[in-house]
Amino acid sequence: MGWTVEALDAALGRIDTFVNRRLERDTGPGISLALTTRDELIAVATAGLADVAAGTPVKPSHLFEFGSIGKSFTAVALLQLCDEGRLDLDTPISDLLPLFAIQSDYAPITVRHLLAHSSGLSGGNDFTPDPRFEVWSTRDLHAAHAPGEAFHYSNLGYKALGLLLERLEGKPYAEIIRERLLDPLGMHDTVPVIDNTVRPRLAIGYGPLNNDRPWHPRDPIAPATWLETNTGDGCICSTASDLTIWLRMLMNGGVGPAGRILSEESFALLAERVIEMGKDSGLWYGLGLYTDTREGTELLGHTGGMVGYESAMFADVARDIGVVVLVNGSGLRLPLVRYAIAVLAAAADGAELPPLPAGPDPGAAPYADRIAGVYRSDT
């Protein structure tokens, strides 16, 4: 990108102001944001607190759980097996993983269908310590529609894919991700399983203190429930800067610092528009990533959420700008991503920086249309 030092400094200052404004109004309690091109890390910005009780500020070294962004790691590892001739995406998953035995009146669910969330499988539990029982319980489920017919986001599907990886490789999921992806890319600050050993390095996750009502940004928060997990739908944690290494690999079409980790053909499958995520939504899922074509730009990446954490990782590949946003609480991630990309693009073009967007009305009730009505208490 063609930034002058002055233009880049001005852009980073504007982004930092927006991060802090978002932190005050509708996120919490801390944010770590990293900006990158396809070639190098540009900057890391942090704001807010990693530990509210101790008053510990978020540092670039803090780990955050990033949830479903991990689906792209699972997908890449499986596509590597395709490159090696060890996996055919159109094989029925039940042939490869006997634990998976859903009842269905339709054609078999394949690995490809699970990767694209088009299997007809239910969403599953968002957060489970281990996936085996949940995948085994598919024998009590019925496919909702013919495979490939519609998009339905399914964590359960990716839990099955994580178990498939383990079955094909004969190793734990975390070990596979470490050996195949993290070590070759030099992602030394990324941990492929969430367990108690990583807890001291994490920014503490937070959620609403009162979980019996719709959340509002002014409501009090409390530390979220601690959860260990090793599932293929999202059990990885990282720093914002380390996650940009993964994003740079994606921006380079499957090429990492030491060379290609995914063939051109397999990368095209990862990023292609396989199925629309909602009628006229502008969102298209591939085989582990999705494309957001709203608001006049095309972004490639994924969002994620865990108990006490939210995340987003997207790149405007055409303009060579990538953004990672990690929040240890609730937060509007995509506005941060879009604004950072718009500011950096303007700075590169020598154009006037876009103004800071107006924040949300502090008196407004989020999702008021969903909860409006007449309520009665019998107590």
Side-chain angles (χ1 to χ4, degrees):
M1 297 293 289
W3 294 296
T4 65
V5 173
E6 295 78 10
L8 183 57
D9 285 346
L12 296 179
R14 185 68 61 86
I15 293 168
D16 189 62
T17 299
F18 188 50
V19 167
N20 280 279
R21 178 176 292 187
R22 280 287 181 186
L23 187 68
E24 293 172 359
R25 294 185 178 181
D26 56 17
T27 65
I31 299 176
S32 188
L33 178 146
L35 310 169
T36 189
T37 67
R38 72 180 69 246
D39 296 319
E40 62 182 347
L41 179 70
I42 303 170
V44 177
T46 60
L49 298 175
D51 184 334
V52 173
T56 305
V58 174
K59 300 176 183 177
S61 59
H62 273 115
L63 298 176
F64 287 71
E65 299 178 20
F66 59 66
S68 287
I69 291 174
K71 289 180 171 64
S72 64
F73 289 70
T74 298
V76 169
L78 286 168
L79 288 168
Q80 286 180 333
L81 293 178
C82 293
D83 287 340
E84 296 164 12
R86 297 173 55 195
L87 177 64
D88 182 342
L89 296 182
D90 296 313
T91 303
I93 182 67
S94 57
D95 290 354
L96 300 169
L97 187 68
L99 201 63
F100 185 98
I102 192 169
Q103 300 180 49
S104 177
D105 298 324
Y106 308 108
I109 295 170
T110 67
V111 176
R112 188 186 303 272
H113 294 137
L114 292 177
L115 285 167
H117 296 291
S118 65
S119 66
L121 195 62
S122 69
N125 295 321
D126 281 345
F127 311 108
T128 51
D130 187 273
R132 286 162 180 79
F133 174 75
E134 191 177 351
V135 173
W136 178 87
S137 69
T138 54
R139 66 197 63 243
D140 297 324
L141 302 177
H142 292 263
H145 57 74
E149 183 178 86
F151 176 86
H152 185 76
Y153 195 85
S154 177
N155 285 311
L156 176 54
Y158 266 81
K159 288 170 185 172
L161 292 173
L163 291 179
L164 174 61
L165 262 178
E166 292 187 339
R167 184 174 177 84
L168 294 175
E169 288 281 76
K171 301 175 183 178
Y173 177 83
E175 189 175 333
I176 297 166
I177 297 301
R178 172 72 70 192
E179 293 178 358
R180 283 188 166 273
L181 304 175
L182 304 185
D183 287 347
L185 290 171
M187 296 179 67
H188 303 307
D189 287 328
T190 301
V191 182
V193 64
I194 297 169
D195 59 21
N196 278 303
T197 63
V198 76
R199 197 170 184 182
R201 300 173 57 195
L202 282 165
I204 295 174
Y206 289 86
L209 175 63
N210 303 310
N211 59 8
D212 60 346
R213 67 203 68 179
W215 181 81
H216 188 278
R218 293 176 296 176
D219 290 345
I221 59 174
T225 302
W226 170 248
L227 177 75
E228 294 185 276
T229 180
N230 63 357
T231 61
D233 60 327
C235 66
I236 307 174
C237 52
S238 185
T239 65
S241 60
D242 218 46
L243 190 51
T244 63
I245 298 175
W246 184 252
L247 186 54
R248 283 194 291 278
M249 179 275 294
L250 299 175
M251 295 171 74
N252 283 289
V255 178
R260 182 167 290 282
I261 70 163
L262 200 60
S263 70
E264 292 183 25
E265 295 77 14
S266 288
F267 182 82
L269 294 175
L270 181 76
E272 72 173 326
R273 299 183 186 182
V274 174
I275 192 161
E276 194 170 13
M277 297 168 68
K279 182 175 174 56
D280 301 323
S281 67
L283 303 173
W284 291 81
Y285 210 90
L287 300 186
L289 294 173
Y290 72 85
T291 304
D292 183 337
T293 60
R294 298 171 297 180
E295 300 185 22
T297 60
E298 180 172 300
L299 304 181
L300 178 68
H302 215 291
T303 54
M306 288 293 283
V307 177
Y309 301 87
E310 293 191 4
S311 60
M313 173 199 73
F314 282 95
D316 184 331
V317 179
R319 290 193 280 188
D320 192 20
I321 301 169
V323 182
V324 168
V325 175
L326 305 176
V327 181
N328 60 333
S330 298
L332 298 178
R333 303 152 289 175
L334 285 177
L336 285 170
V337 168
R338 291 187 177 280
Y339 187 70
I341 288 174
V343 169
L344 289 172
D349 294 339
E352 183 177 353
L353 300 183
L356 289 166
D361 180 355
Y367 312 116
D369 58 323
R370 303 183 191 177
I371 59 176
V374 178
Y375 297 83
R376 185 184 69 188
S377 173
D378 294 326
T379 59

